[in-house]
Amino acid sequence: MTAHPSMLILLGLAAVGVAVGDDGNQHLKRGGWLASRADVAPVANATYSEECGSCHMAYQPGLLPSTAWRAILSPDALINHYGDDASLTGELRNEISAYLTANAADRSGGKRAQKFAESRAGADGLPRISANPYFVKEHDEIPARLVRDNPEVVSFSQCNNCHRKAAEGDYSEREINIPGHGPWDD
Ligand code: HEC
Ligand code: HEC
């Protein structure tokens, strides 16, 4: 009488084993330890998300060093923010500046922090994540057809158009999906 239910349990376990084996363990890993291995710590300041996340995603503070965030957050730079006006009241600016600099790439121990701790400016003189040497090296094989000339992407500044889990700070290759192209195999 007791042999029958335990047989069912064994069969159930075998079925799970097959499902996991079929896709090379991906699902097991995604639900487990890999899910928490973000490249940079996710954004954890509501004021910053609200004020700086409307024209592009609110970039994680760990994507730029503190000197770069300070330059971007200066009142003059905010008035002419990469061609837009992103000016803030003094109070908001102080809160956001304190949050970004305290959690900047040179202040955090994230997996990619050291690589993003190097600051480079774009043609307009403002620091850019997308001008960082590590960033350039990772993206230089992607043709303009899939970025600037792709209406669903437009610019490298729109990280989350290609990195499906950018908001969680996960930029791993398996979470890339370029609109009109799909996953990236190089
Ligand atoms: C009114 C719209 C707007 C707001 C609000 C805004 N930005 Fe931007 N931001 C832009 C534009 C436009 C660009 C340039 C995008 C491009 O080149 O495609 C940009 C670019 C950036 C970049 C460089 C991205 C790269 O390519 O590396 C950073 C960093 C940045 N913004 C930070 C901020 C911060 C911090 C705030 C809040 C204080 C903010 N932005 C608010 C419009 C905005
Ligand atoms: C046009 C789509 C696209 C956009 C936009 C984009 N990326 Fe990427 N990113 C890629 C692709 C594709 C790769 C993988 C390149 C390779 O393996 O050769 C990549 C790789 C990366 C990597 C390295 C991942 C790893 O595990 O090696 C990081 C980090 C990264 N991107 C961050 C960013 C950030 C931050 C932004 C926005 C400022 C951004 N990306 C914008 C497509 C994009």
Side-chain angles (χ1 to χ4, degrees), residues 101-120:
T101 52
N103 296 281
D106 52 325
R107 307 275 170 85
S108 76
K111 191 157 67 114
R112 303 263 178 246
Q114 230 178 323
K115 287 168 168 164
F116 283 110
E118 195 174 331
S119 178
R120 291 284 166 87

Side-chain angles (χ1 to χ4, degrees), residues 39 59 63 112 116 129-130 134-135 138-139 141-142 146-147 153 155-159 162-163 171-173 176 178 184 186:
D39 297 278
Y59 306 112
L63 292 174
R112 303 263 178 246
F116 283 110
I129 303 157
S130 55
Y134 166 68
F135 183 99
E138 288 291 333
H139 296 84
E141 281 171 25
I142 310 168
L146 297 178
V147 191
V153 178
S155 161
F156 274 124
S157 307
Q158 306 290 343
C159 321
C162 300
H163 293 276
Y171 294 95
S172 58
E173 288 190 43
I176 293 171
I178 305 181
W184 185 257
D186 64 347

Side-chain angles (χ1 to χ4, degrees), residues 37-127:
R37 289 209 322 174
D39 297 278
V40 289
V43 169
N45 179 286
T47 308
Y48 171 59
S49 300
E50 220 162 278
E51 300 297 333
C52 303
S54 52
C55 303
H56 45 68
M57 66 175 266
Y59 306 112
Q60 285 83 16
L63 292 174
L64 282 174
S66 48
T67 48
W69 285 126
R70 224 171 278 124
I72 291 167
L73 267 291
S74 83
D76 286 348
L78 284 174
I79 290 170
N80 191 358
H81 178 82
Y82 309 89
D84 269 2
D85 184 348
S87 45
L88 298 166
T89 64
E91 202 181 325
L92 289 173
R93 197 180 68 80
N94 287 342
E95 179 185 345
I96 292 168
S97 185
Y99 168 67
L100 289 173
T101 52
N103 296 281
D106 52 325
R107 307 275 170 85
S108 76
K111 191 157 67 114
R112 303 263 178 246
Q114 230 178 323
K115 287 168 168 164
F116 283 110
E118 195 174 331
S119 178
R120 291 284 166 87
D124 52 13
L126 283 174

